[in-house]
Structure formats: structure tokens, C-alpha cells
DNA sequence: GTTGGCATGTAATTGGTTACATGATTGG
DNA sequence: CCAATCATGTAACCAATTACATGCCAAC
């Protein structure tokens, strides 16, 4: 009964490798310099993660020749790794994801290009679009019922939360429109 | 050279105890049912955390008599705990907090009422207000320089990030106005 | 020739997750 | 009386953080 299921960091690494082979150091640089997720770039997290994924058969190392005879070890997804990544991207979006893991949903979406087709991208976004209004209504109704009992700074912090979810909603609508436009313009 | 500095979960617990004594179970309920942060409500995290804080002298248990002879053990902040919480609330806001830990800043702000005075609350918010424009400009400039090299879903996800920071900025301005209004209306 | 960035790792510690375990109390 | 919820814990496992360690190569 081993767990052994990949962590978010593992999926983030696999996502980065979906198109090009990268070295451990390059992966660290990307986590350190880019905005995607808040994954640690420390060697103590990245290198063990790569090892884990190699051990699971999701990654493999390739030795590429550079000019000047320098050979660099890089990692790329195996077929199994690609399947695992696609499985992750295809998981049904649930209310818990909306409440606590929007960042993970955004990361998934960012990785979808060239891995799943635009209609499936839209279906992914529509799941989010469907779930967000309920979440927003819950928050608003909680606020209406409890705001007079919460001190001012708590109330303002709560309103911040509502605004963030409204921003998610505006974004997802906009994103759906953009992808749909792309689909119709191609056909 | 021991570390022993409280974790975010520790501060969140201390924040909850800033006004009333709560039992471990009550703390778990709050983490499970409220929106504050994404702290785990599992017994395996809460009870050890309470023990840690007790061991550090930041919390103490009080036995309150309920009617019907039932005695319930609750926890409250010690003087040392209150100082630690105030120290945490008073830490200078830095660019890293803006980039990766806005949720923690919001949690701090929610706990400020009745712990620090409104002018200090405003100063806290103004630090955020000062740092956000730089962050937003960085993101916008990165987008302008790199957007044509990023695939569509990645681009849209990036734009989501920018919108979130713009929402933070609108909120912080609004919150400052609200607190200032409260200050002037009282004098 | 030495500083700084490239590049890869390991070890100790620690905190969180998961799962299990237990007993008391309350409502139907 | 029995189920659900209240209430508190423990133990195994695992991953991340922190800190240390090493060697290469390029530039100044």
C-alpha cells in the first residue's frame, strides 16, 4: 500500500519537461526566476524530486552533445511520464480545488498548450467557471450573516478574499472567450 | 543554534487565541470551516503545534468550569505569546512577501484589530501599497518582452497573475481609505 | 589566480499528512 | 441503545528546508 503518487512539485517539473529536455539546474532557475507557483528552487528539493521521478519511470536522462565536446545531462519525460502528466491535467475540477488550489489549476492550464487540444482546454476552464459562482455566493452570504460580528480588519481581509474570487471569475470568462475565438478563427 | 521559531501555523493559532481561549478542537473547527489561510485542520498538525507552543511558553492551558461540572481545557496566549504575535505583526513587509506570501500578509492584517492601533494598521497597509506597483510593473514588463514566446495558455495564466496583483492593489487602497475614515470619524 | 556563477549533490532536522486509536457525550 | 459528533491524541512516513560540500569553467 505505498503512496508513491507524484507531488505538485513533481507535476510542475514534468510540466516544464513537456516540450524540452532540461537539466536539474535549469529547472531550479525556472522555479527561482519565474512566477509559476511557489515551488522551492533549493537543490534539496529539486534533485531528490528528479530522482524520485526517474525511479518511477516518469523521467529519463539524455546526454546531449554540445559543441566543444561538452556533454550535458538533461531530463525528459518518458511515455509513462507524459501519460501521468496528461492524467493530472485531465482530473475533474472539484470545489476543494476552487477553494484552496486555484494556483494549481492555473499551473495546469499553463501547461495545456500542445498537450491537449483547445476544446478540452475550454472544457477545463468551464468546470472552473461553473464552480466559481457557488463559491462566491457562499462567501457573500457568509459575509452578510457574520460581518457585524467580525472586527474591521478581519472584515476587510474577508472582502479581499471575495475580490480575489471575483477576479478569478472575470479571468476565466475572458480566457474561455479567447480560446473560443482561436478555435473559430482556425476553422 | 536551535531554530525553534514558530511556523505560520503557529502564528495562525496564536492569532486565533489573541482574544479568547480556545480548545484544540475549536481551533481545528475554525481552520476547517473558515477561509483563513490554507492551514490544515488535521489532529496530527494542530495538537503537536499546540504542544510546541506550550513548550516555548507562548501558550498556556486554562481549565474553565462549564455548568454541569464539566471542565474544559482551553488554551490562551501568555504574555510571551502576545509579544511574539505582536513581533510577527510588526515585521517589515518586503518584496518577497508581496510576491509569494500575500496570504500571510492578509492573515496578519485580519489579526490586527484590538492588537495594534489603527494608525499602525494603516502603516502596515501602506508598506504593501508602496511595494505593489513595482511588482505589477515588473510583471507587465516581463509580459511585454516575452509574451510572444509563451504559448497561449501560459500567456493567459500569466495575465491571471497580473490581474490578481491589480486586485491586491485596488483592495489595499480601499482598505487604507476605510481605516483612515474610521480614524478621522473618531477624533 | 581567484572570484563568481554553473552544476550537482548529501545529511540532519522538522513539520505535515495519513491513518489509526480511544473515550465521552448527545440526539434520535 | 446506537450512531454521530465531540475531543484528543499517537506513530509511520515523507518531503521540504537548511546547511554543507564539491568541482568545473569563464572572466577579470
Amino acid at each position: 500500500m505505498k503512496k508513491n503518487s507524484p507531488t505538485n512539485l513533481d507535476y510542475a517539473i514534468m510540466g516544464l519537461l513537456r516540450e524540452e529536455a532540461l537539466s536539474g539546474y535549469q529547472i531550479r532557475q525556472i522555479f527561482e526566476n519565474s512566477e509559476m507557483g511557489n515551488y522551492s528552487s533549493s537543490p534539496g528539493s529539486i534533485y531528490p524530486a528528479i530522482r524520485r521521478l526517474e525511479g518511477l519511470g516518469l523521467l529519463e536522462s539524455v546526454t546531449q552533445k554540445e559543441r566543444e565536446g561538452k556533454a550535458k545531462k538533461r531530463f525528459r519525460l518518458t511515455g509513462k511520464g507524459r501519460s501521468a502528466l496528461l492524467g493530472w491535467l485531465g482530473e475533474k475540477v472539484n470545489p476543494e480545488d476552487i477553494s484552496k488550489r486555484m494556483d494549481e489549476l492555473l499551473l495546469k492550464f499553463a501547461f495545456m498548450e500542445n498537450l491537449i487540444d483547445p476544446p478540452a482546454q475550454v472544457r477545463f476552464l468551464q468546470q472552473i467557471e461553473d464552480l466559481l459562482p457557488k463559491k462566491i455566493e457562499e462567501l457573500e452570504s457568509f459575509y452578510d450573516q457574520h460581518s457585524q460580528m467580525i472586527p474591521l480588519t478581519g472584515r476587510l481581509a474577508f472582502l479581499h478574499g471575495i475580490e480575489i474570487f471575483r477576479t478569478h471569475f472575470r479571468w476565466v470568462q475572458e480566457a474561455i472567450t479567447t480560446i473560443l475565438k482561436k478555435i473559430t478563427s482556425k476553422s
Side-chain angles (χ1 to χ4, degrees), chain A residues 5-181:
Chain A
S5 74
T7 65
N8 281 348
L9 174 63
D10 292 342
Y11 284 118
I13 291 173
M14 286 192 268
L16 289 178
L17 298 177
R18 76 196 182 285
E19 293 186 316
E20 42 171 356
L22 298 170
S23 68
Y25 189 76
Q26 288 177 304
I27 292 170
R28 289 184 57 207
Q29 297 297 97
I30 293 171
F31 284 135
E32 194 166 322
N33 301 321
S34 86
E35 295 297 325
M36 22 161 302
N38 285 340
Y39 300 106
S40 160
S41 65
S42 74
S45 65
I46 301 297
Y47 292 109
I50 291 173
R51 289 283 173 86
R52 268 200 310 274
L53 293 167
E54 240 186 329
L56 292 170
L58 304 174
L59 255 52
E60 64 188 358
S61 63
V62 287
T63 309
Q64 286 176 330
K65 298 246 183 286
E66 312 252 310
R67 53 175 166 275
E68 302 299 327
K70 275 173 292 184
K72 291 229 166 158
K73 194 165 83 163
R74 287 168 200 245
F75 298 91
R76 70 172 179 204
L77 280 182
T78 61
K80 202 172 155 192
R82 176 162 296 250
S83 305
L85 183 58
L86 284 169
W88 182 62
L89 294 181
E91 279 170 16
K92 192 163 165 266
V93 179
N94 61 53
E96 276 287 288
D97 295 329
I98 300 289
S99 290
K100 316 210 174 209
R101 286 182 291 273
M102 275 299 298
D103 53 337
E104 191 188 318
L105 296 178
L106 265 293
L107 186 68
K108 282 188 186 187
F109 182 66
F111 286 150
M112 285 186 177
E113 198 75 55
N114 299 329
L115 272 183
I116 71 173
D117 62 14
Q121 292 166 12
V122 170
R123 287 195 295 277
F124 174 80
L125 293 175
Q126 279 168 342
Q127 292 181 67
I128 300 174
E129 191 194 21
D130 289 346
L131 289 167
L132 274 171
K134 180 146 174 275
K135 176 71 188 174
I136 293 170
E137 280 158 31
E138 276 173 25
L139 291 173
E140 286 169 343
S141 125
F142 182 93
Y143 185 80
D144 290 343
Q145 284 165 40
H146 299 98
S147 69
Q148 74 287 354
M149 297 153 56
I150 308 172
L152 179 57
T153 62
R155 230 151 60 221
L156 287 168
F158 193 91
L159 288 174
H160 175 273
I162 296 181
E163 283 308 317
I164 290 294
F165 280 100
R166 288 181 180 146
T167 301
H168 291 329
F169 189 63
R170 284 193 303 273
W171 174 82
V172 79
Q173 292 188 308
E174 184 74 21
I176 290 171
T177 306
T178 305
I179 309 267
L180 286 178
K181 215 171 287 175

